[in-house]
Amino acid sequence: MTIEQIKGNIINLHNELPIGVKLVAVSKFHPIEALLAAYDGGQRLFGESRAQEIGQKHSLMPSDVQWHFIGHLQSNKVRQIVPYVSLIHSIDSEKLLRCVDAEARRIGRIVDVLLQLHVAKETTKYGLTIDECRALVDNGVTDELKNVRICGVMGMATNTEDEAEIGREFHEIRSTFDVLKDTHFRKVDCFDTVSMGMSEDYHIAVAEGTTMVRIGTTIFGEREY
Ligand SMILES: *Cc1c(COP(=O)(O)O)cnc(C)c1O
């Protein structure tokens, strides 16, 4: 993609997405010029999946950019991202949640996070089962930790052509959010985010009630790993 195309893609997506659906531009593996083109198109939320890359790009981009961590996060990388990150989408264990809380406390921050749900058929995708997620909340762990704010859930659908299956999985993520919102998080205003939908399936996610899509390839083109 050229600089002009990237800028145009951002503008088109902002026009296309319904009010209430935030766009995270997934810029992993793309050079800073591509991110600046998206910034020029009005984009401020960027998603990265590697701790080192967020650290490098953070210092090169304007300071009003918000950095989201969307990939699998290892405990030993938490320290690298906690100073810069505005939302971690991928909390997939109690251990990781405690680790982020401890590091945030150490540097005097409160970090916003989402609980990642595993609903896809692939065993390679990370995340909590719906039961594990409920247990984490019901056991009081999320209340006990004062330096993380639980802002919602995130999930990925199976990589399949079967749109009905993708729709069912997104529906399950949204329903889990709704149950949590109606019970434990009823009075918690910041619990308002359902992060689901990528380049191939964001239309379905919008239909199923996403509030935040994470789009890379549609904006920046194919990644070169
Ligand atoms: C890479 C990635 C995306 C973006 O995927 P595209 O297909 O390029 O839109 C979204 N979410 C997560 C968790 C990712 O790792």
Side-chain angles (χ1 to χ4, degrees), residues 1 6 9 26 28 30 216-224:
M1 300 266 184
I6 291 171
N9 292 338
V26 177
K28 61 191 186 194
H30 291 290
T217 311
T218 299
I219 299 169
F220 297 108
E222 295 293 334
R223 289 177 284 273
E224 288 173 34

Side-chain angles (χ1 to χ4, degrees), residues 51-100:
Q52 208 185 351
E53 205 171 336
I54 251 192
Q56 289 163 350
K57 286 175 171 171
H58 159 265
S59 58
L60 298 170
M61 289 291 287
S63 59
D64 62 342
V65 164
Q66 293 182 31
W67 297 97
H68 290 197
F69 195 87
I70 62 167
H72 177 60
L73 179 57
Q74 291 169 300
S75 297
N76 64 2
K77 297 286 168 66
V78 166
R79 186 160 287 192
Q80 279 183 48
I81 69 160
V82 160
Y84 318 113
V85 79
S86 75
L87 182 65
I88 299 175
H89 290 228
S90 44
I91 298 296
D92 58 7
S93 69
E94 180 178 334
K95 178 179 170 233
L96 180 62
L97 184 65
R98 287 185 182 281
C99 181
V100 172

Side-chain angles (χ1 to χ4, degrees), residues 193-214:
T193 300
V194 182
S195 166
M196 59 185 194
M198 322 194 338
S199 292
E200 291 294 317
D201 58 21
Y202 74 89
H203 295 101
I204 306 172
V206 167
E208 295 297 340
T210 186
T211 73
M212 188 176 275
V213 292
R214 310 176 309 269

